[in-house]
Amino acid sequence: MAASISLTQSFRLRDPLVAAHPFRLASPFRFGRSFPLSRNLSSRSPSASMSVQAPKKSPDVEFLDRRESGILHFVKYQGLGNDFILVDNRNSSEPKVTPEQAVKLCDRNIGVGADGVIFVLPGVSDTDYTMRIFNSDGSEPEMCGNGIRCLARFITELENLHGMQSFRIHTGAGLIVPEIQSDGKVKVDMGQPILHAPDIPTTIPANKDGSVIKAELVVDGISWNVTCVSMGNPHCVTFGSKKCEALHVDDIKLEDIGPKFEHHEMFPSRTNTEFVQVISRSHLKMRVWERGAGATLACGTGACAVVVAAVLEGHTERHCIVELPGGPLEIEWREEDNHVYMTGPAEVVFYGYVPL
Ligand SMILES: N[C@H](CCC[C@H](N)C(=O)O)C(=O)O
């Protein structure tokens, strides 16, 4: 005879426990509560009796107040698929989230899911704001190109600003100035590239002027040609190996080769690595394995480093379109001021709150 249990108690759909912890699975069964059970049991084994107790009543605190303490409000943004959790941290110079919490928040199964967490903090000296970022592995990089475009758009929301705006942002890479364009894209003065090997940093043997341009780097037994550039954060750019001078980036197995570059002994602070294919003298195609984040759909500082490396190796002019899996970035390494300019989108994905 089939065992059947029917419960006579209807359940609240919105359980405060679930609302405060949206990642906790909603279960219709509130164990710990006693219910009259009408059951028509014939079981092939002694029937299991289900005893449920009433849930502990939470203290008489306003539901919203209970929710607010320990809850992080955020806005999810993305720039060409490089996605970030943005946090309004204007009221404190200490990030609201620890690196360990950032790892959980960035997890795409048990968290919000992102390549990093970005904070808008108060400015210092003559800057409007400060940007700090934790990668999805919890490490803190100096700078993030796609991230600062998202940060600029986030600031316009926070401050209810409209139309063209520019901000002076203090970052680990120094002063960075993003400018909201009339079409909504963001143009960023990314500052000057750093080519001096010890400042990248890399221990790859350098040229007389201290730069590392089309130098040999052996990774996993293969001899690669690499050019190293810092945009505040380290980048190792390769257009090919001794065996294959011209890469077809769609053939690169990033998960295999990426970590071997990232953790190579010649990069004391690890490195971001860009694999580049030259399409024309103004069009590059790129794949990236990011330090502390792995394969991403786009890397803004990486695209800047790639154009600098391409000019230094003689592949392109100074103004290029860099094609990434997430879409194109416009990059110019301007001769007049030696600054690199990056232009691209930044979009809101959703608004949310999450228990910390
Ligand atoms: N993972 C990078 C930081 C983020 C860079 C990238 N997302 C960008 O858009 O520049 C690093 O550790 O240097």
Side-chain angles (χ1 to χ4, degrees):
M1 183 189 285
S4 70
I5 296 179
S6 65
L7 293 173
T8 56
Q9 168 88 3
S10 63
F11 294 92
R12 282 169 299 159
L13 290 180
R14 184 170 172 69
D15 181 320
L17 195 63
V18 172
H21 300 278
F23 294 114
R24 196 165 287 176
L25 283 180
S27 154
F29 295 96
R30 297 281 307 134
F31 292 101
R33 179 178 298 165
S34 58
F35 289 93
L37 295 179
S38 63
R39 50 184 167 177
N40 172 17
L41 266 186
S42 66
S43 72
R44 289 182 292 283
S45 61
S47 67
S49 67
M50 185 172 84
S51 74
V52 282
Q53 306 300 323
K56 285 190 182 54
K57 200 168 172 325
S58 34
D60 280 338
V61 172
E62 254 308 300
F63 171 67
L64 202 58
D65 294 347
R66 199 164 66 237
R67 257 180 44 190
E68 282 310 298
S69 60
I71 293 289
L72 175 78
H73 291 266
F74 65 86
V75 183
K76 183 80 190 291
Y77 270 85
Q78 60 87 12
L80 298 182
N82 195 197
D83 60 339
F84 304 97
I85 295 163
L86 273 95
V87 176
D88 178 5
N89 219 108
R90 289 174 296 169
N91 62 356
S92 159
S93 55
E94 268 313 300
K96 289 179 181 174
V97 170
T98 65
E100 296 70 27
Q101 289 169 330
V103 172
K104 288 197 189 105
L105 288 170
C106 291
D107 188 295
R108 296 190 189 276
N109 294 105
I110 61 168
V112 173
D115 291 327
V117 181
I118 290 179
F119 306 91
V120 180
L121 300 137
V124 292
S125 53
D126 64 343
T127 58
D128 303 313
Y129 300 94
T130 294
M131 175 178 88
R132 285 181 66 178
I133 168 175
F134 293 152
N135 281 318
S136 55
D137 75 346
S139 59
E140 179 168 6
E142 302 81 353
M143 179 49 196
C144 178
N146 290 319
I148 203 156
R149 297 201 313 275
C150 294
L151 177 122
R153 294 293 301 268
F154 184 43
I155 289 169
T156 61
E157 276 205 274
L158 292 174
E159 308 281 8
N160 196 21
L161 301 171
H162 303 280
M164 292 177 70
Q165 310 283 337
S166 76
F167 305 110
R168 295 169 58 80
I169 311 290
H170 172 66
T171 75
L175 171 66
I176 303 290
V177 181
E179 191 179 289
I180 313 275
Q181 307 290 291
S182 54
D183 63 359
K185 282 189 178 174
V186 186
K187 181 169 186 173
V188 187
D189 174 352
M190 298 285 283
Q192 303 188 43
I194 298 162
L195 301 173
H196 190 231
D199 298 331
I200 289 181
T202 182
T203 54
I204 295 174
N207 299 326
K208 286 196 182 62
D209 65 2
S211 64
V212 174
I213 299 172
K214 208 167 178 180
E216 179 182 30
L217 180 70
V218 178
V219 181
D220 208 18
I222 294 174
S223 174
W224 293 83
N225 301 317
V226 300
T227 292
C228 297
V229 180
S230 168
M231 293 306 297
N233 58 347
H235 293 272
C236 176
V237 181
T238 182
F239 294 84
S241 64
K242 297 276 185 255
K243 216 166 65 175
C244 166
E245 288 274 325
L247 277 180
H248 280 84
V249 292
D250 293 334
D251 301 340
I252 297 285
K253 293 185 174 50
L254 278 178
E255 306 295 334
D256 295 348
I257 194 72
K260 292 168 183 155
F261 272 89
E262 176 184 0
H263 297 280
H264 197 286
E265 60 181 4
M266 294 282 190
F267 293 100
S269 303
R270 298 188 286 163
T271 188
N272 301 284
T273 306
E274 289 80 19
F275 301 88
V276 192
Q277 184 173 338
V278 181
I279 308 298
S280 76
R281 292 197 59 80
S282 60
H283 181 185
L284 296 164
K285 189 174 176 182
M286 159 186 154
R287 293 288 178 274
V288 59
W289 179 269
E290 283 198 36
R291 176 182 65 168
T296 60
L297 294 179
C299 179
T301 50
C304 295
V306 157
V307 171
V308 171
V311 171
L312 291 172
E313 291 197 21
H315 300 297
T316 66
E317 306 307 327
R318 286 173 167 267
H319 198 156
C320 288
I321 293 298
V322 179
E323 182 189 334
L324 295 128
L329 278 174
E330 184 186 346
I331 308 289
E332 179 184 8
W333 181 20
R334 204 173 284 174
E335 197 149 17
E336 308 84 271
D337 60 6
N338 191 39
H339 282 220
V340 183
Y341 294 85
M342 166 189 67
T343 304
E347 308 291 341
V348 174
V349 183
F350 61 83
Y351 299 80
Y353 59 87
V354 63
L356 278 181

